[in-house]
Amino acid sequence: MIKFLDILKEAKQAGILYHWTNNSNLLNILNTNTLVPNYTEGGGMHKDQPGPYVSFTRSKNKNQFTIAEEANALLIVDGDKLSNNYKIIPFQDYGSDYELLDDVGDQFDESEERIYKKTIKNLDKYLIKVILYKNIESFWGENKFNECIEFLKEKNIPYEIK
């Protein structure tokens, strides 16, 4: 006999997802409480899902790929909750442009998770934490940096400064 608690445990298991962004987008993301899909020219389209997408990764390693290296902030998202309302599709690029080295020098391919053609609304429902990198303060200036911190506090969104 199946118990009710067993049924509840059968939700999707997407795990923790990371979304890298830069300072020019972070306040807009937080103010609108949304992640809007975009199209990266030559960014590789999923065979069944052409069009704009929101990109996530399962790695919080800032040195893994160019977008993360250039980012000033990291959104840590509960993928389990997100997957209950949005279809998360694994995406992987292969080839010499995407072959990277991990910490021990082994090669791996960039992998990501994408949500195609949907704006993620009520983002704060899925946010676990926002990580701000110290270089964001020098780029933004103290006023914008403090504005961001106050906004996170006001919305009770946990944050960390690295």
Side-chain angles (χ1 to χ4, degrees):
M1 181 161 118
I2 297 176
K3 295 179 183 178
F4 182 67
L5 289 177
D6 292 332
I7 294 170
L8 289 178
K9 291 179 185 175
E10 296 206 17
K12 296 175 186 174
Q13 301 286 314
I16 303 295
L17 298 174
Y18 303 96
H19 179 81
W20 294 95
T21 191
N22 60 42
N23 55 347
S24 61
N25 293 330
L26 179 61
L27 274 178
N28 186 49
I29 289 168
L30 295 174
N31 280 322
T32 62
N33 202 20
T34 61
L35 278 174
V36 178
N38 66 4
Y39 174 74
T40 304
E41 191 66 38
M45 301 305 259
H46 187 279
K47 62 181 180 178
D48 298 325
Q49 298 289 328
Y53 55 87
V54 176
S55 180
F56 297 92
T57 180
R58 293 188 178 275
S59 172
K60 65 178 181 176
N61 181 356
K62 190 165 174 43
N63 301 317
Q64 183 176 341
F65 45 95
T66 306
I67 291 171
E69 288 175 349
E70 295 172 356
N72 306 99
L74 174 62
L75 305 178
I76 302 175
V77 176
D78 184 330
D80 294 347
K81 287 182 183 177
L82 189 66
S83 69
N84 287 326
N85 295 306
Y86 299 92
K87 184 176 181 178
I88 299 172
I89 299 174
F91 182 85
Q92 188 164 24
D93 278 325
Y94 293 97
S96 59
D97 290 345
Y98 299 99
E99 290 175 4
L100 304 169
L101 298 177
D102 67 15
D103 293 337
V104 295
D106 295 327
Q107 244 178 7
F108 67 95
D109 291 306
E110 176 189 20
S111 295
E112 63 184 282
E113 309 290 330
R114 292 180 176 179
I115 295 174
Y116 286 88
K117 301 182 208 168
K118 300 234 180 199
T119 296
I120 299 170
K121 298 178 181 177
N122 302 312
L123 180 63
D124 59 344
K125 289 186 349 185
Y126 311 109
L127 272 178
I128 295 171
K129 182 192 287 189
V130 174
I131 296 178
L132 303 170
Y133 290 87
K134 287 185 180 181
N135 65 340
I136 199 171
E137 184 177 5
S138 62
F139 189 88
W140 261 354
E142 191 173 339
N143 288 341
K144 280 243 191 242
F145 184 77
N146 290 337
E147 179 185 341
C148 183
I149 297 296
E150 287 306 312
F151 184 88
L152 292 168
K153 286 179 182 177
E154 180 183 304
K155 296 292 184 181
N156 293 317
I157 299 170
Y159 68 92
E160 181 180 334
I161 301 170
K162 285 191 172 189

